[in-house]
Amino acid sequence: MIKITKTILTYFSKEWSIENKKRILKTFKIRVSNKKVLLKDNFCQKTIFEKKIKVYDKSNPLYKEFYQIKIGNDKWYYELSALARKYLVDTCNQWKKEDNARAPMNYTHRQIVFLDEQMYRLQEFFINDESYHCFLTKDLKLRDSAIQKFIYDRKPLYSPIILLEKVKIYAINNQLKYFNKNGNLLPSVIRQYLSGQVKLPMTEYEKIKSSTKRTEKEFLNLARTNVEDFDYFLTLTFANKEDKEKYERLNMNSVKHGEYDLKFIYVEDPSDYELCMKKLHVFLTNLNRVCKKEQMDLKYLGVPEYQKNGNMHYHFLISALPEEFLYNVPSWLDYDSIKQTRRYDKGVVSWKYGKSTLEVIEGKERIVNYISKYLTKSLEEIKDTVYLERLNKRRYYYSNNLKKPKIEYFKDNEIDNLFENDLIEPKIVYSNTNLNFYNQSQTILYQLKEFI
């Protein structure tokens, strides 16, 4: 019978835990110098790192096997394949050797030169930045703690002004003894926070903001991968029951002039999240069903927009719809207040809960960037309101038939040959260089062919 050895139990618990998962998956990290995100055949996003970074080798079958183990499974070891068990045993034996090794690490001449250069750069940085003087000795040399934290442990450098101001506010609000007699932060406190030894708790807004930035990148990649399949920019709003009498009067007048008879199903509260989500789900389900009857492949990608009062509406990129699904928006709802002219928009018949506008997309890359900004716009609108928690819920919606962007990593300079088979020189859409103390990266978005 297979038994879990003592060596494995030194590093892993009998019941598969989050700690087990993190520990073993870390061993599948590989160093890469280039990253490519292939967005269908329209765009290719290329990132080149000055120094190699570590990423998970998700293509490794053993990575997938360990990743799929359910948390809480107490029979995980016995369910592993023979190859996975061997990998686990070898890894634990290697860790044991490293733990028992007492000899100091021997650096090569090249590594020593590199570390000396990093320490010199770090020292110059601290001298020029008064906030980091706590990591320097009286003769302006690096303290041992600074060398350990920033050189060997590779702790990130924070923005000192913003961070220390937050520390002061945090200390005052929580009545912490972080100040000297003059009301300044103690050097030991500054050192702890700037080195990352002690981390300032993130506010709910900061957590959501960081997460929203990642979501925006995911949304952009998905939109660019499928952008050629989108023909319209669709906006869906809700008709408040409070406006029922006014809207019905205006609609009656427009019907007399031969315009479309727009009859809304009014909602009690346009800020009711669950109600609005239910209405959207019904609309997309019905629209998808009728498109299938017409043998059309409906594709969509959209985001909600939140206002300070909590009211919701939606913005979508959507594929072509049959003319019989559309209507001409009546003049009383079809006015551009900025241009002071009528817009002559189309609406979608099956959206019964308020106004819908369907605009033909002309600049596809522009509209993709435009709609993605609603994610951060909503965050700023509701950041000081009771509605902030909504951004912890689903942030964008898409049809299951959208193509997913393909992400590849390259260890060396393989990415240099990325466009060698292209007959047309790729067009650079944007180029961004990210500079930091230890590394720099350049991200370039190429347009591989013009839109039709």
Side-chain angles (χ1 to χ4, degrees):
M1 183 179 175
I2 301 171
K3 290 185 179 180
I4 306 181
T5 63
K6 289 183 180 180
T7 304
I8 293 176
L9 291 176
T10 303
Y11 302 99
F12 295 89
S13 58
K14 289 184 177 180
E15 185 179 275
W16 189 253
S17 62
I18 293 290
E19 290 71 25
N20 285 3
K21 185 174 184 177
K22 288 180 179 178
R23 188 176 288 118
I24 192 63
L25 293 185
K26 231 181 231 187
T27 65
F28 291 94
K29 282 195 169 184
I30 55 174
R31 291 187 179 275
V32 298
S33 58
N34 300 283
K35 175 185 176 182
K36 180 186 78 172
V37 182
L38 188 61
L39 309 173
K40 204 178 176 182
D41 55 354
N42 316 318
F43 295 101
C44 179
Q45 188 169 283
K46 179 174 78 171
T47 303
I48 305 169
F49 304 102
E50 182 189 37
K51 281 187 68 219
K52 291 185 177 182
I53 63 168
K54 284 186 174 182
V55 297
Y56 290 108
D57 183 11
K58 295 183 179 180
S59 61
N60 191 314
L62 292 180
Y63 172 91
K64 295 177 182 178
E65 186 172 351
F66 284 112
Y67 184 86
Q68 291 172 356
I69 301 175
K70 292 183 179 179
I71 303 300
N73 185 354
D74 56 356
K75 297 180 180 179
W76 61 271
Y77 182 76
Y78 308 104
E79 295 174 359
L80 291 176
S81 66
L83 198 61
R85 284 198 296 270
K86 184 180 184 306
Y87 179 84
L88 190 66
V89 171
D90 291 344
T91 301
C92 290
N93 286 333
Q94 181 61 32
W95 287 342
K96 189 175 181 180
K97 285 181 183 178
E98 291 172 0
D99 292 342
N100 294 333
R102 299 187 181 277
M105 182 175 179
N106 296 318
Y107 290 102
T108 64
H109 174 71
R110 186 176 176 182
Q111 288 172 323
I112 291 171
V113 170
F114 173 76
L115 290 173
D116 286 342
E117 182 183 323
Q118 293 298 304
M119 282 191 272
Y120 173 76
R121 290 172 64 188
L122 191 66
Q123 183 181 352
E124 288 296 305
F125 180 83
F126 285 177
I127 289 173
N128 295 326
D129 194 310
E130 296 181 1
S131 301
Y132 281 98
H133 265 58
C134 57
F135 291 113
L136 299 173
T137 60
K138 291 181 179 179
D139 57 352
L140 300 182
K141 299 295 183 184
L142 288 175
R143 291 178 182 269
D144 290 339
S145 60
I147 295 172
Q148 182 64 44
K149 291 287 180 186
F150 299 108
I151 300 297
Y152 295 109
D153 294 346
R154 309 289 282 177
K155 295 291 183 182
L157 294 172
Y158 298 92
S159 172
I161 297 174
I162 298 174
L163 178 63
L164 295 180
E165 284 300 317
K166 288 182 178 180
V167 172
K168 289 178 184 178
I169 295 170
Y170 175 68
I172 292 170
N173 291 340
N174 293 275
Q175 299 180 345
L176 302 175
K177 297 179 180 179
Y178 278 7
F179 304 96
N180 58 21
K181 293 179 180 179
N182 298 322
N184 298 318
L185 286 173
L186 296 169
S188 59
V189 172
I190 296 174
R191 193 179 302 123
Q192 286 177 331
Y193 279 96
L194 291 183
S195 66
Q197 182 179 353
V198 177
K199 293 185 178 180
L200 193 66
M202 291 179 71
T203 64
E204 187 65 18
Y205 168 71
E206 289 171 330
K207 290 177 183 177
I208 294 176
K209 185 176 182 180
S210 175
S211 178
T212 302
K213 282 291 181 185
R214 293 194 298 272
T215 303
E216 187 179 6
K217 289 180 181 178
E218 294 172 3
F219 180 90
L220 269 171
N221 283 346
L222 191 59
R224 284 173 174 151
T225 304
N226 298 273
V227 70
E228 285 187 359
D229 296 321
F230 300 130
D231 297 278
Y232 294 110
F233 177 60
L234 173 65
T235 301
L236 304 172
T237 61
F238 292 92
N240 196 326
K241 198 170 184 179
E242 294 178 356
D243 300 317
K244 182 176 181 179
E245 186 178 337
K246 179 179 72 173
Y247 285 177
E248 287 183 343
R249 185 179 70 254
L250 291 170
N251 183 59
M252 190 180 299
N253 291 333
S254 71
V255 171
K256 290 179 182 177
H257 291 84
E259 293 187 315
Y260 184 78
D261 187 3
L262 192 56
K263 295 179 179 178
F264 292 145
I265 299 176
Y266 293 88
V267 296
E268 293 284 350
D269 183 8
S271 68
D272 187 330
Y273 179 85
E274 298 300 333
L275 174 66
C276 292
M277 281 297 302
K278 184 178 179 180
K279 302 297 185 188
L280 176 68
H281 177 72
V282 169
F283 166 72
L284 292 175
T285 302
N286 291 338
L287 189 61
N288 191 52
R289 186 176 65 251
V290 294
C291 281
K292 281 184 178 179
K293 287 182 180 179
E294 297 291 328
Q295 296 183 340
M296 297 186 69
D297 194 19
L298 178 68
K299 293 185 178 182
Y300 58 84
L301 173 65
V303 297
E305 183 185 357
Y306 304 108
Q307 298 174 337
K308 287 183 180 179
N309 60 4
N311 287 357
M312 297 175 62
H313 53 276
Y314 300 95
H315 301 280
F316 277 86
L317 302 172
I318 194 166
S319 57
L321 298 173
E323 278 298 319
E324 58 266 28
F325 288 12
L326 312 179
Y327 65 88
N328 294 319
V329 178
S331 55
W332 64 276
L333 263 184
D334 196 37
Y335 186 73
D336 191 325
S337 57
I338 298 175
K339 296 181 179 179
Q340 296 186 348
T341 58
R342 186 172 175 181
R343 296 168 57 94
Y344 294 99
D345 282 334
K346 296 280 188 179
V348 182
V349 174
S350 56
W351 179 255
K352 304 287 188 182
Y353 310 105
K355 180 185 176 183
S356 61
T357 58
L358 201 65
E359 304 171 61
V360 176
I361 298 175
E362 295 178 355
K364 294 199 174 185
E365 176 60 21
R366 180 189 62 81
I367 201 69
V368 162
N369 291 330
Y370 176 75
I371 192 173
S372 71
K373 295 301 178 186
Y374 280 111
L375 290 166
T376 49
K377 182 183 176 183
S378 289
L379 173 64
E380 293 306 313
E381 282 288 316
I382 62 175
K383 68 177 182 180
D384 297 320
T385 71
V386 294
Y387 305 107
L388 180 62
E389 184 62 28
R390 288 181 175 182
L391 286 176
N392 276 330
K393 298 181 180 180
R394 190 170 179 180
R395 293 181 184 144
Y396 63 91
Y397 317 93
Y398 60 92
S399 55
N400 293 329
N401 54 356
L402 293 189
K403 294 182 180 178
K404 305 300 187 294
K406 184 179 179 182
I407 300 176
E408 295 181 28
Y409 291 97
F410 300 86
K411 295 182 180 179
D412 300 309
N413 295 322
E414 303 164 22
I415 202 168
D416 292 341
N417 302 320
L418 181 62
F419 306 115
E420 64 179 2
N421 296 322
D422 289 330
L423 299 177
I424 303 174
E425 186 70 20
K427 173 186 172 184
I428 294 178
V429 177
Y430 74 75
S431 177
N432 178 56
T433 301
N434 177 41
L435 295 173
N436 55 51
F437 186 76
Y438 292 110
N439 199 356
Q440 74 175 38
S441 63
Q442 185 180 30
T443 298
I444 304 173
L445 180 67
Y446 290 99
Q447 186 173 8
L448 301 184
K449 71 175 184 179
E450 296 291 337
F451 290 119
I452 298 172

